């Protein structure tokens, strides 16, 4: 069992920045980790993913604005979000995948982009 705790959400004006963090209770070394988000009335969607080596993928909507990074020693996953837009408003979730049948989610952190 792995516990994931997100932090760093909040309210920010359009064009602003936030950094989200996800602290895992166990080792994340070698594991695929992702950030997802869910806006009201919409399905949860993948925002960014990163493998242990640091190679990352991004959803087209955030590429160039968001950066995902990890610390395999501190067991943290982070998401640097720049040039935030109102459409980025959502609850952001951290996910750790151990296998095709074993994955864990955090409780989520709210990001609101509004003037």
């Amino acid at each position: 069992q792995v516990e994931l705790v997100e932090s760093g959400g909040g309210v920010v004006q359009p064009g602003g920045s936030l950094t989200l963090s996800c602290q895992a209770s166990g080792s994340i070394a070698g594991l695929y980790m992702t950030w997802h988000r869910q806006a009201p009335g919409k399905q949860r969607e993948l925002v960014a993913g990163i493998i242990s080596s640091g190679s990352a993928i991004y959803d087209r909507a955030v590429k160039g604005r968001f950066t995902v990074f990890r610390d395999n020693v501190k067991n943290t996953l982070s998401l640097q979000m720049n040039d935030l837009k109102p459409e980025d408003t959502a609850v952001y979730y951290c996910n750790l995948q151990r296998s095709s049948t074993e994955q864990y989610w955090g409780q989520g952190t709210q990001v609101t982009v509004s003037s």
Side-chain angles (χ1 to χ4, degrees), residues 1-2 5 7-8 20 26 36 39 43 49-50 52-53 58 62 67 74 79 84 88 93 99 111 114:
Q1 188 77 15
V2 177
V5 179
S7 61
L20 306 182
H36 298 248
Q43 288 189 328
I50 185 168
S52 194
S53 67
Y58 298 91
V62 307
T67 302
K74 295 181 179 179
L79 186 68
L84 283 160
D88 295 318
Y93 297 91
S99 70
V111 172
S114 174

Side-chain angles (χ1 to χ4, degrees), residues 13-95:
Q13 291 187 340
S17 299
L18 281 175
T19 300
L20 306 182
S21 295
C22 172
Q23 179 69 57
S25 61
S27 176
I28 67 170
L31 301 177
Y32 181 55
M33 297 197 72
T34 53
W35 284 101
H36 298 248
R37 66 186 180 186
Q38 187 166 18
K42 295 187 176 182
Q43 288 189 328
R44 193 172 296 189
E45 61 181 8
L46 175 68
V47 175
I50 185 168
I51 62 175
S52 194
S53 67
S55 181
I57 60 167
Y58 298 91
D59 179 78
R60 184 168 48 185
V62 307
K63 196 169 186 178
R65 299 188 297 121
F66 291 11
T67 302
V68 60
F69 53 99
R70 61 192 289 163
D71 187 323
N72 292 331
V73 175
K74 295 181 179 179
N75 297 316
T76 58
L77 176 72
S78 300
L79 186 68
Q80 172 68 43
M81 306 185 294
N82 298 325
D83 189 24
L84 283 160
K85 306 176 186 298
E87 51 264 40
D88 295 318
T89 295
V91 178
Y92 284 71
Y93 297 91
C94 171
N95 176 277

